[in-house]
Amino acid sequence: MVEAVAVQGPAGGSSAGRGSARRRRAALAVLVAASALLYGAYSLLRLRAFRTGSYDLVIFDQAIRSYSRFGLPVAIVKGVHNDFGPDFSILGDHFSPILALLAPLYWIHDGPATLLVAQAVLLALAIPPIWRYTERRLGARAAYCAAGAYALSWPIAEALAFDFHEVAFVPLLSALMVERHDAGRRLQAAAAAFALLLVKEDMGLLLAGFGLYLLARPTGRGLRSLRELRGLRNLRGLLPPGDRREGLAYAAAGLAATWACSRVAVAAFGGDNDYYWAYGALGPDLPHAAMHAVTHPWDVVRVLGDPPQKLLTMALLLLPLLFLPLASPLTLTAVPLLAERMLASRFSNWWEPHYHYNAFIVAVLVLAAADGAARLRGRARFARGRFSGRLPSAAPMAGILAVTVACVPFFAYRHLTDPALWRPNERARAASAAVARIPDGALVEAANGLGPALTSRTRVLLWDDRSHGAPWVIAQVERLEFPFGAPAEQRRRVEALKAEGYREVFRKDGYVVLHKDVPDPW
């Protein structure tokens, strides 16, 4: 099986070759900058239009601010709402120490906009390794198409539409792990893999999947040029068996890290190891679920399709990529992480096409599509006996880019056509006026959509169905706000607060500001 079929230029490099390389670097830099600008502008527009939320933007903002002051990443909004206490470190929720790298940015600008800009840049930086990997297999034109398809992909758009998350680091690091290993830079690949383990407690599953990929494919660098195929009668010598030790090392390290981070590290920081157990359809814990999966494999198949939304999400991951990842063993890298979500029977947001979860694997799937296209083309040329020196066609990746562009209006970027995102409307002006009533440094229970506008200068709690003793409350009684089930519940909650002694000091367009002279509980 051909691992790579890219044509290499002259070793010495003529002036024309150097000029072409400079143009490619410039074009790639423009693509990265344009993507970062798109991501950042979209995110900041959402922030300005009050379309972000305390869950999860304020959680990360409070945590990074705490890091920037050389403390643990405490998020009072998370700790109080989820009954972990006001001093709760988010390392007890998800083991994501890599977020500490963003703390110095808060010395420059303290606020959630910093996180959104940082996320935009990190997501855009996955483009160069995607380009390099694809260019080695299919040439520069295909590489630009693959990079563009990633940049406009719906998983990235949906991640941006759900504010900020640790997933910002994953496309870059996963693409680097795959691309650096493919380039023969094994230590650099291992460094990227190690960094992935610091992103979230389940990122070891991505390493385990990469280990499966290494076990399933030849480790030879492959053919650097189609010209090398001319006159060859026996290809077996060019395609040595896989490096079992390296694949086993990645798989073992990934599984061990997942266990250690989710069962030891999370508990060490005050978390509940069973908080995210979502596999009750298979068993009450991991040993029972694993045994049930082995003895009743059809139940596993049933869970994968229950509800059918899971099948839709998996189809949506492959359809824009023209199902080419199915032709590449690299897709095995994404399988454990995808299975973690699709085998769940709780947390329905895990298997939705919305939210940020699909962005964890999108870069790997784009790389697998490029690899799958190269493999299919290589097989076709072997079968026909035609071995030209030309680069393989960019048509498959161009098709992927075209389908990706066609999908844009059906996902989060469609909101860019909403005038209310670009120009403040009456609702946004009312929200701004409500936020302005809260004094600096105050403790405030804020409706989910208002927390991000307050977090830079106040201590934000989530306004929910319980009193937390804050002197200030900002409610929304006309539009649904998380975590309530209906606006009627929100109105009843406001009335209950008034019965507790809170007085109304502001009301406009559904926003209600309440105040009570009580001492700050924290």
Side-chain angles (χ1 to χ4, degrees):
M1 193 177 293
V2 178
E3 287 297 315
V5 287
V7 175
Q8 302 298 306
S14 64
S15 58
R18 289 193 295 270
S20 176
R22 282 195 296 270
R23 287 192 295 273
R24 290 182 180 184
R25 286 194 295 270
L28 193 58
V30 168
L31 181 56
V32 172
S35 299
L37 182 62
L38 170 64
Y39 302 159
Y42 177 56
S43 298
L44 293 176
L45 285 170
R46 294 185 71 256
L47 178 65
R48 189 186 68 166
F50 294 90
R51 296 189 180 185
T52 56
S54 295
Y55 267 57
D56 291 327
L57 185 54
V58 171
I59 294 174
F60 288 104
D61 172 76
Q62 292 178 344
I64 304 303
R65 181 175 295 109
S66 186
Y67 267 136
S68 73
R69 296 170 181 174
F70 303 100
L72 288 174
V74 172
I76 187 174
V77 65
K78 175 73 176 181
V80 171
H81 175 67
N82 292 105
D83 295 323
F84 289 113
D87 297 322
F88 179 67
S89 164
I90 66 167
L91 291 172
D93 183 42
H94 292 302
F95 187 69
S96 305
I98 199 169
L99 292 172
L101 295 178
L102 301 178
L105 299 178
Y106 267 52
W107 304 338
I108 302 170
H109 180 272
D110 185 327
T114 299
L115 295 184
L116 298 178
V117 172
Q119 177 173 252
V121 173
L122 286 168
L123 291 175
L125 286 177
I127 290 174
I130 289 173
W131 189 94
R132 288 194 300 263
Y133 182 92
T134 306
E135 192 272 341
R136 281 199 292 269
R137 280 161 170 70
L138 297 169
R141 292 181 181 178
Y144 289 121
C145 292
Y150 161 80
L152 295 174
S153 64
W154 68 262
I156 295 298
E158 293 299 327
L160 294 169
F162 196 34
D163 305 341
F164 173 90
H165 289 87
E166 64 283 307
V167 72
F169 290 90
V170 176
L172 170 60
L173 292 175
S174 60
L176 281 174
M177 178 179 70
V178 174
E179 188 276 327
R180 289 292 79 194
H181 190 280
D182 181 70
R185 306 287 184 163
R186 303 301 171 84
L187 289 178
Q188 293 176 8
F194 176 76
L196 275 170
L197 297 178
L198 305 179
V199 174
K200 199 178 176 189
E201 66 276 3
D202 59 354
M203 286 299 99
L205 296 178
L206 202 61
L207 269 66
F210 189 60
L212 292 177
Y213 157 66
L214 295 179
L215 290 169
R217 61 125 214 178
T219 60
R221 290 289 300 122
L223 305 179
R224 306 308 303 170
S225 169
L226 289 174
R227 295 186 183 94
E228 296 180 35
L229 293 173
R230 293 174 178 167
L232 293 176
R233 297 180 179 177
N234 185 358
L235 297 176
R236 295 184 178 226
L238 294 174
L239 301 174
D243 187 341
R244 300 291 188 268
R245 287 175 297 180
E246 191 171 15
L248 288 172
Y250 270 98
L255 293 176
T258 298
W259 179 86
C261 292
S262 60
R263 306 302 298 179
V264 179
V266 167
F269 286 99
D272 180 356
N273 285 343
D274 297 321
Y275 189 81
Y276 288 107
W277 179 255
Y279 310 97
L282 298 176
D285 52 36
L286 182 58
H288 286 88
M291 180 60 66
H292 186 93
V294 171
T295 57
H296 300 81
W298 284 111
D299 284 353
V300 175
V301 176
R302 176 183 55 80
V303 172
L304 285 173
D306 182 22
Q309 183 69 49
K310 295 178 179 179
L311 300 177
L312 174 61
T313 297
M314 289 187 281
L316 285 173
L317 285 168
L318 294 174
L319 179 60
L321 299 175
L322 304 181
F323 295 97
L324 287 171
L326 299 180
S328 170
L330 182 58
T331 301
L332 289 171
T333 304
V335 168
L337 204 56
L338 185 62
E340 177 194 27
R341 294 162 47 212
M342 298 303 161
L343 289 174
S345 52
R346 290 177 58 209
F347 305 119
S348 61
N349 52 315
W350 286 8
W351 56 74
E352 292 281 340
H354 306 296
Y355 308 107
H356 59 292
Y357 300 104
N358 297 291
F360 282 100
I361 58 175
V362 64
V364 168
L365 291 178
V366 171
L367 295 177
D371 186 53
R375 289 170 180 274
L376 291 176
R377 186 169 178 81
R379 290 173 185 170
R381 291 195 170 191
F382 276 122
R384 295 173 187 168
R386 303 172 191 165
F387 306 112
S388 69
R390 294 176 298 173
L391 283 171
S393 170
M397 306 314 293
I400 286 174
L401 178 58
V403 175
T404 299
V405 171
C407 289
V408 166
F410 300 98
F411 292 94
Y413 288 142
R414 71 182 184 276
H415 299 302
L416 287 169
T417 62
D418 183 357
L421 188 66
W422 297 85
R423 297 190 301 271
N425 56 15
E426 191 62 31
R427 184 185 69 84
R429 284 189 284 270
S432 295
V435 165
R437 298 300 298 266
I438 309 302
D440 291 351
L443 181 69
V444 54
E445 297 175 37
N448 187 55
L450 296 181
L454 287 160
T455 184
S456 296
R457 61 181 185 85
T458 68
R459 290 174 297 147
V460 174
L461 301 175
L462 182 67
W463 176 58
D464 54 26
D465 59 356
R466 296 173 296 164
S467 291
H468 301 294
W472 294 89
V473 176
I474 304 186
Q476 166 57 248
V477 296
E478 293 182 3
R479 282 172 292 275
L480 180 63
E481 290 279 346
F482 173 82
F484 294 95
E489 295 179 17
Q490 297 160 214
R491 290 190 286 271
R492 287 194 293 270
R493 182 69 196 128
V494 167
E495 295 306 314
L497 287 168
K498 290 180 179 179
E500 293 175 16
Y502 283 86
R503 60 186 178 88
E504 183 178 310
V505 299
F506 176 90
R507 179 184 287 263
K508 186 176 181 181
D509 198 31
Y511 292 105
V512 181
V513 179
L514 304 169
H515 177 60
K516 183 179 181 181
D517 291 321
V518 293
D520 190 326
W522 298 302

